[in-house]
Amino acid sequence: MSYVTLARVEEISPGQTRMVQVGSCLILLVNDLGEFYALQGLCGHQNLPLTGSKVWQGVLDCPWHHFQYDLRTGENLYPKRIYPLNALPKLREQISSLRTYPVQIVDGKVQVRVPESCELG
Ligand code: FES
């Protein structure tokens, strides 16, 4: 795995996202109050693109059905932490975490460590 430059810091304002295609992978870049994150670009619910997601205080809210994810870990926060999933097996089947990718900022560039499986595309 190697770090790849996917944007410049000033191209993604706080609270904004940007979808980037890297080989075979869609990666969502996120600026949350100046902290940058990179997550898989397709929602864990129905595999729809996370373009246009709302971002606030470490949380990503999918625009389709508002599943919410922890930006740092990709863990599903809603509905996982709200509903008793043991009693709702159909809902439990629809919940999965988002993959996250390490990010570094170098000379104003947003660099993401992209897995080889993406680069080989
Ligand atoms: S596709 Fe994201 S919440 Fe349904």
Side-chain angles (χ1 to χ4, degrees), residues 43 45-46 48 62 64-67:
C43 182
H45 178 214
Q46 292 186 354
L48 295 171
C62 176
W64 295 95
H65 314 101
H66 300 289
F67 277 29

Side-chain angles (χ1 to χ4, degrees), residues 8-17 30-34 36 55:
R8 292 199 56 83
V9 166
E10 65 269 19
E11 293 174 334
I12 309 171
S13 302
Q16 300 297 306
T17 65
V30 179
N31 179 344
D32 183 29
L33 298 174
F36 283 83
V55 176

Side-chain angles (χ1 to χ4, degrees), residues 42-50 53 61-69 76 78-79 94 98:
L42 298 176
C43 182
H45 178 214
Q46 292 186 354
N47 236 24
L48 295 171
L50 288 160
S53 294
D61 184 316
C62 176
W64 295 95
H65 314 101
H66 300 289
F67 277 29
Q68 296 175 356
Y69 299 91
N76 181 278
Y78 175 85
Q94 298 176 47
L98 298 182

